[in-house]
Amino acid sequence: MLLTSTTCLLAEFSPGEDPHDKPGFLEAVIDSSGNVVCVTAVQVIRLSEVTTEHDIAEGEGYATVAQWRTGHEEFWHSPACVADLGELSIDDDTLVVCCQFEIYRRYPVTTSPPH
């Protein structure tokens, strides 16, 4: 099993849109041939609750969660992000959406004709 993760701000979702209604929601990702290629687990947590495990699974090379947070805050305050979301106040209580992707090699792979 290969585990990777990603993080975004809950503020990136439209008002009233929830990334998932239930904590611990699992979702299968299906490729164009109908194969399950990975399973995602999504949780909405406070920024201060992001774990070292999540940081490492993102694979960005941060040695500590503090470095991970600094890098993400720099991105969330970048001109491109501010242009998209507006200037955001980010603190320990900011809600983030943590997605973990578990890629399983055991799922059957079918071949499909070229498109």
Side-chain angles (χ1 to χ4, degrees), residues 6-43:
T6 190
T7 310
C8 67
L9 296 170
L10 184 60
E12 294 179 53
F13 291 81
S14 301
E17 179 186 13
D18 189 354
H20 293 295
D21 294 329
K22 302 173 205 158
F25 180 83
L26 296 176
E27 177 177 54
V29 177
I30 310 296
D31 70 11
S32 59
S33 297
N35 299 303
V36 175
V37 293
C38 73
V39 175
T40 65
V42 177
Q43 58 181 165

Side-chain angles (χ1 to χ4, degrees), residues 50 59 63 93:
V50 172
D93 293 324

Side-chain angles (χ1 to χ4, degrees), residues 72-101:
H72 281 69
E73 286 191 35
E74 287 173 1
F75 170 74
W76 293 325
H77 289 296
S78 70
C81 197
V82 170
D84 189 41
L85 300 173
E87 188 67 44
L88 299 171
S89 174
I90 297 175
D91 60 27
D92 284 350
D93 293 324
T94 299
L95 295 178
V96 295
V97 180
C98 294
C99 299
Q100 288 189 328
F101 303 86

